Amino acid sequence: MPKKKVHKVAKSLGLSSAALLKLLKEMGIMVKSHMSVLSDEDEKKVKHKISEDKKRVKKEFTRRYSRPKVKEKKKKIDPVAIKEKIKSTLAKMEKKETRKHYKREVRAKVEVKPTEKIVEITDFMTVADLAQAMKLPTTDVIKKCLDMGLMVSLNQRLDLDTLTVMSDEFGYDVKVMSVEDQIATDVEVDRLERPPVVTIMGHVDHGKTTLLDSITKLRTVEEEYGRITQRMAAYQIEYHNRTITFLDTPGHEAFTAMRARGAQVTDIVILVVAADDGVMPQTIEAIDHALAASVPIIVCINKIDLPGSNVNRVKTQLAKANVVVEDFGGKSICVETSALKGIGIADVLDAVLVKAEELKLTAPFDKTAKGVVIEARLDRGKGNVSTILVQEGNLKKGDPFVCGAHFGRVRELFDQQSNRITEAGPSTAVLVLGFSGLPQAGEVFLAVDNERRAREIASQRQLIERMRKLKAKSKVTLLDLQEKIKAGETKELRLILKADSAGSTEALDEKLNELSMEDVAVRVVHKGVGKINVSDVLLAEVTGAICVGFHVGPDTNALDAAEREGVEIRTYRLIYEALDDLRSAMVGLLEPIITEILVGEAEVREIFTIPKVGLIFGCYMKDGKVLYGAIARVMREGKEIIASKVTSLKRFKEDAKEVLAGYECGIGLEQDGDLQKGDTIQFYKIEETAAGDGK
Ligand code: GDP
């Protein structure tokens, strides 16, 4: 029988002699060295073993890696980076920058990289739309989705992230098309000078309202212009034959909210600082917001009539906070006023005009209008009304428009004196009637050519909004962060830190930094003194941080924002509790506590038997709300008689996700025996919080 030496067999199998020797040993075939000989039979056995091993490995590999290949790729994406990308994309959609970029890139395509492919996408377009946009058969796109572990159908809508990844897979760069891009006309219009838009900011009680009042009075007295009959969120004054628009925003939140929506409406910030009180936390906050938005600041040192006033001290404090006034060698104009006594008011207005001159503010006048919602409310007589600051073009009565997810036709336009007007140009604030619903502050208002188009765009936006809400379920919580740390998806525990005093903030910050370990670091994104406010929550949302309050809690607006944006706020009274919790999260030992939270209460008023469905309880919502899927506890005379779950929820004949207090609804329960008219049903939602929350 022919025999071969080990090293020859190894070579024929593509193995090293040593590897083959090891394998032979494992198989119980005894050979001494690579020069030993191997029988034909043994060679066959080895070949068989190797081929079996290969098959096994291949099978195992396919099982483990073929699908998640892409998942793994997805995993590597930093969720914070994704969020930021989404934010910037959304901002781009809002800012209409895309078109310009598009033009630039298309040019680049021709000049530099002729092979570069660009696909225009809109948020939540369908798989079929995407395929069409890339001029590819839909089956290719669906197949690629399946390869990536995504089960999709032809008409399934994909979010911006998935659309981007998919386009990338096919070698396309994406261009996100916003609604504005879809309706933008390329007509170039001459730009003309427009009035400046000014926001007054500063610490509470430093005199913002009084300053605005004296400015209004000055105008009223000097120009005999008539009283402002209706306080609008924005209004204009005439001064030295020039117009100035003031935004009357309550606090800094409106400013932040608008910025968060990508709306930059303010040209100049007047920073009011009381001469007797000096720079305070909200002064710093105002400065941070203005600087972050690159808006020039005019400093107004107010209350100079008070005996304790010290203008120089304020200027020094401001310099420390990065606002250097002119006589300290800086750029910021500084005026001294007594808003109460009407001293220096004209100087403030002069300073605004000087700054406006410097900024050379212009806008196109002769085109369809574009603006921003400053405020919206439901008026008893007028219905949905909204104050719009027109930024470009001319808004006319009768114009169809789209604003956020709403649309309409301008039914009436009112100026700040409640006079009916027929049109309004750039930098003018007007009250607009004719909205289909209430828009939110900061939303872009766009006049369009026809109402049908407005309706189409609005419904597209509503859809996007709905999809976004569905997606926005992912929360930034300590428990989630723990999971991400465990999965190796993040190596940072990001925090927004607020405390009752600068001392505690510093102490906690220092201690938290000591917590940093080799593979997980604590990063305090922002720290400050005072309650957790909306800005903190927004900052937490964009940076993927949680808010930690030490001896301070959130204010009501912050609580709403946290709920809306899915940001966790944790409050502590003891340093070691805070440190323990965060340390536990970092090492993965935080245990969730499941809590039932009462969300609403209903009274059973009717009981219907519906064939094939069962019992439906006609209820009146007395308090809070009922949510589909909520835990339901039926109470009679203060005692719980049934624990169940809401399995169907209807308003009239329509399925509803939730029904609020004051409404009637039909409720179906999982366990519903023995319910009677007059019983009360309490509804609970489950909330998972991390253990040790010092709330
Ligand atoms: P805001 O919270 O910044 O809007 O402050 P306000 O305008 O409501 O003013 C707070 C308090 O300071 C009020 O009692 C005003 O009358 C007072 N105040 C405002 N400006 C001046 C000023 O120039 N001098 C003095 N003495 N008091 C002022």
Side-chain angles (χ1 to χ4, degrees):
M1 220 180 249
K3 290 179 181 178
K4 275 190 207 157
K5 291 215 162 102
V6 169
H7 69 95
K8 286 231 158 128
V9 177
K11 199 175 172 192
S12 72
L13 292 170
L15 294 174
S16 70
S17 302
L20 182 58
L21 281 171
K22 194 166 167 251
L23 184 67
L24 289 169
K25 204 173 154 194
E26 277 173 16
M27 291 170 67
I29 303 169
M30 300 318 260
V31 281
K32 277 189 185 152
S33 74
H34 67 286
M35 292 304 285
S36 309
V37 284
L38 211 58
S39 70
D40 248 4
E41 200 181 336
D42 285 344
E43 189 185 340
K44 262 190 197 156
K45 274 189 197 165
V46 169
K47 280 187 176 164
H48 180 72
K49 166 100 172 103
I50 290 177
S51 115
E52 284 301 304
D53 276 359
K54 273 189 183 164
K55 274 189 209 154
R56 191 176 47 77
V57 170
K58 197 172 170 191
K59 209 168 152 191
E60 176 67 6
F61 183 83
T62 320
R63 187 181 70 77
R64 291 215 334 233
Y65 299 107
S66 69
R67 268 211 171 170
K69 198 176 158 195
V70 175
K71 269 197 184 156
E72 218 179 58
K73 192 175 160 192
K74 277 189 114 180
K75 248 190 179 177
K76 277 185 205 146
I77 301 171
D78 175 5
V80 176
I82 289 186
K83 263 202 157 164
E84 272 159 15
K85 193 166 176 200
I86 294 175
K87 276 247 144 169
S88 71
T89 316
L90 284 176
K92 268 192 221 156
M93 287 170 67
E94 294 292 315
K95 278 187 196 156
K96 198 195 156 190
E97 269 177 7
T98 340
R99 175 161 286 260
K100 289 180 208 148
H101 283 186
Y102 176 52
K103 281 184 185 161
R104 228 177 289 145
E105 280 183 32
V106 171
R107 228 175 283 137
K109 173 184 145 188
V110 179
E111 289 161 14
V112 192
K113 270 200 242 165
T115 50
E116 194 177 296
K117 296 191 287 184
I118 291 174
V119 60
E120 289 179 355
I121 59 170
T122 52
D123 205 354
F124 298 110
M125 70 199 284
T126 62
V127 173
D129 291 341
L130 178 67
Q132 198 186 12
M134 293 192 294
K135 299 192 179 62
L136 287 171
T138 41
T139 43
D140 285 12
V141 179
I142 292 182
K143 194 167 162 287
K144 186 69 86 182
C145 283
L146 289 176
D147 285 349
M148 292 168 69
L150 274 176
M151 298 290 289
V152 293
S153 65
L154 206 60
N155 292 320
Q156 187 154 338
R157 294 186 181 275
L158 304 175
D159 60 21
L160 221 45
D161 237 12
T162 317
L163 287 166
T164 310
V165 174
M166 290 302 302
S167 311
D168 190 43
E169 287 287 320
F170 286 102
Y172 278 85
D173 273 349
V174 297
K175 259 309 113 214
V176 182
M177 297 296 285
S178 71
V179 174
E180 284 166 62
D181 286 315
Q182 293 170 42
I183 57 177
T185 48
D186 278 335
V187 192
E188 282 295 320
V189 187
D190 283 346
R191 299 179 75 92
L192 302 171
E193 194 184 327
R194 66 169 173 86
V197 179
V198 182
T199 303
I200 302 184
M201 295 170 97
H203 194 71
V204 64
D205 275 353
H206 279 198
K208 296 181 293 293
T209 319
T210 318
L211 180 69
L212 258 178
D213 281 350
S214 9
I215 288 173
T216 325
K217 262 186 226 146
L218 181 88
R219 198 278 323 266
T220 315
V221 176
E222 280 195 351
E223 320 272 334
E224 292 187 356
Y225 198 72
R227 290 189 66 80
I228 289 180
T229 45
Q230 178 175 354
R231 188 91 189 221
M232 287 216 303
Y235 55 89
Q236 291 189 317
I237 65 149
E238 300 293 325
Y239 181 73
H240 287 331
N241 298 323
R242 304 269 297 280
T243 310
I244 304 172
T245 305
F246 283 93
L247 289 190
D248 186 4
T249 58
H252 309 149
E253 276 147 24
F255 192 86
T256 325
M258 290 203 197
R259 282 225 313 130
R261 285 170 190 281
Q264 174 76 17
V265 286
T266 307
D267 300 312
I268 299 166
V269 162
I270 295 182
L271 181 70
V272 179
V273 194
D276 60 331
D277 208 15
V279 170
M280 297 303 276
Q282 279 172 287
T283 322
I284 302 280
E285 204 180 281
I287 293 172
D288 287 348
H289 282 304
L291 292 182
S294 304
V295 179
I297 296 173
I298 293 175
V299 176
C300 170
I301 303 184
N302 190 33
K303 302 198 186 184
I304 51 160
D305 57 304
L306 287 179
S309 75
N310 185 341
V311 173
N312 262 335
R313 186 178 61 120
V314 176
K315 288 182 183 172
T316 316
Q317 288 173 337
L318 283 170
K320 278 192 197 144
N322 294 326
V323 178
V324 188
V325 298
E326 278 175 339
D327 50 341
F328 273 36
K331 277 194 201 151
S332 299
I333 306 179
C334 177
V335 287
E336 293 168 26
T337 60
S338 166
L340 195 67
K341 304 207 159 152
I343 303 168
I345 308 302
D347 295 342
V348 176
L349 299 179
D350 286 338
V352 170
L353 292 186
V354 168
K355 199 78 220 173
E357 191 79 47
E358 235 177 82
L359 292 172
K360 296 193 172 40
L361 304 165
T362 60
F365 278 59
D366 190 16
K367 69 188 270 284
T368 48
K370 177 182 169 224
V372 171
V373 178
I374 305 294
E375 180 191 66
R377 64 191 155 82
L378 187 64
D379 184 283
R380 274 227 189 127
K382 297 183 177 130
N384 295 320
V385 295
S386 170
T387 307
I388 304 290
L389 177 78
V390 181
Q391 293 182 299
E392 289 178 5
N394 206 9
L395 182 62
K396 293 193 277 301
K397 189 177 161 179
D399 278 351
F401 65 83
V402 53
C403 181
H406 304 289
F407 65 93
R409 184 179 277 276
V410 178
R411 242 183 332 116
E412 291 290 356
L413 282 175
F414 291 97
D415 69 5
Q416 61 204 21
Q417 270 96 22
S418 295
N419 296 323
R420 276 201 170 78
I421 50 172
T422 51
E423 54 182 30
S427 295
T428 317
V430 277
L431 203 68
V432 176
L433 267 62
F435 276 81
S436 61
L438 272 187
Q440 288 188 7
E443 248 160 7
V444 176
F445 174 99
L446 278 175
V448 288
D449 291 335
N450 70 69
E451 206 165 347
R452 194 176 54 83
R453 187 85 187 101
R455 202 180 295 255
E456 264 171 33
I457 294 166
S459 63
Q460 188 187 343
R461 280 190 164 175
Q462 271 167 15
L463 178 100
I464 291 176
E465 200 52 37
R466 258 205 311 276
M467 303 291 284
R468 245 180 231 158
K469 272 192 189 146
L470 281 178
K471 248 196 96 201
K473 295 289 175 224
S474 65
K475 281 192 152 200
V476 189
T477 67
L478 197 55
L479 271 175
D480 290 338
L481 284 174
Q482 165 170 299
E483 289 312 309
K484 286 195 179 122
I485 290 170
K486 269 191 194 163
E489 286 174 15
T490 182
K491 296 200 176 306
E492 259 186 358
L493 185 60
R494 297 179 192 191
L495 307 171
I496 307 280
L497 193 62
K498 292 298 279 280
D500 53 342
S501 71
S504 334
T505 321
E506 289 310 322
L508 201 56
D509 185 17
E510 201 174 299
K511 290 266 180 232
L512 285 169
N513 278 317
E514 284 170 13
L515 278 186
S516 288
M517 304 175 199
E518 201 176 308
D519 37 1
V520 192
V522 174
R523 202 180 121 210
V524 176
V525 183
H526 168 74
K527 60 183 171 189
V529 178
K531 283 191 165 183
I532 294 166
N533 58 32
V534 174
S535 322
D536 297 327
V537 173
L538 291 176
L539 193 59
E541 201 248 322
V542 290
T543 53
I546 59 162
C547 294
V548 172
F550 186 64
H551 282 266
V552 292
D555 61 29
T556 17
N557 292 339
L559 212 55
D560 288 347
E563 169 97 354
R564 203 173 53 240
E565 310 291 346
V567 171
E568 185 177 28
I569 297 179
R570 298 175 68 83
T571 52
Y572 298 95
R573 301 201 69 75
L574 296 169
I575 278 203
Y576 79 85
E577 272 181 0
L579 296 178
D580 268 6
D581 264 12
L582 299 172
R583 191 183 297 113
S584 305
M586 288 164 77
V587 294
L589 293 175
L590 210 61
E591 292 288 335
I593 293 179
I594 312 271
T595 346
E596 280 187 11
I597 297 181
L598 182 68
V599 289
E601 210 171 82
E603 184 190 317
V604 179
R605 293 197 168 166
E606 284 298 335
I607 299 179
F608 306 99
T609 311
I610 313 272
K612 291 191 197 146
V613 175
L615 295 179
I616 294 292
F617 304 99
C619 295
Y620 174 74
M621 283 306 299
K622 289 198 298 192
D623 206 6
K625 60 184 173 184
V626 48
L627 302 159
Y628 174 79
I631 291 176
R633 300 192 182 282
V634 182
M635 312 292 287
R636 191 176 299 155
E637 287 158 11
K639 286 203 187 108
E640 180 183 316
I641 55 160
I642 301 171
S644 189
K645 195 177 157 188
V646 178
T647 48
S648 90
L649 181 62
K650 285 190 190 286
R651 265 285 291 149
F652 301 109
K653 288 196 170 143
E654 299 292 316
D655 282 328
K657 265 196 167 156
E658 63 171 39
V659 176
L660 302 176
Y663 290 102
E664 287 178 337
C665 55
I667 294 177
L669 297 177
E670 208 169 57
Q671 311 288 328
D672 56 11
D674 195 34
L675 240 79
Q676 295 172 6
K677 278 190 206 175
D679 283 345
T680 298
I681 313 180
Q682 290 183 337
F683 304 101
Y684 292 84
K685 72 171 180 187
I686 296 277
E687 202 162 275
E688 265 192 21
T689 43
D693 189 350
K695 264 180 217 173

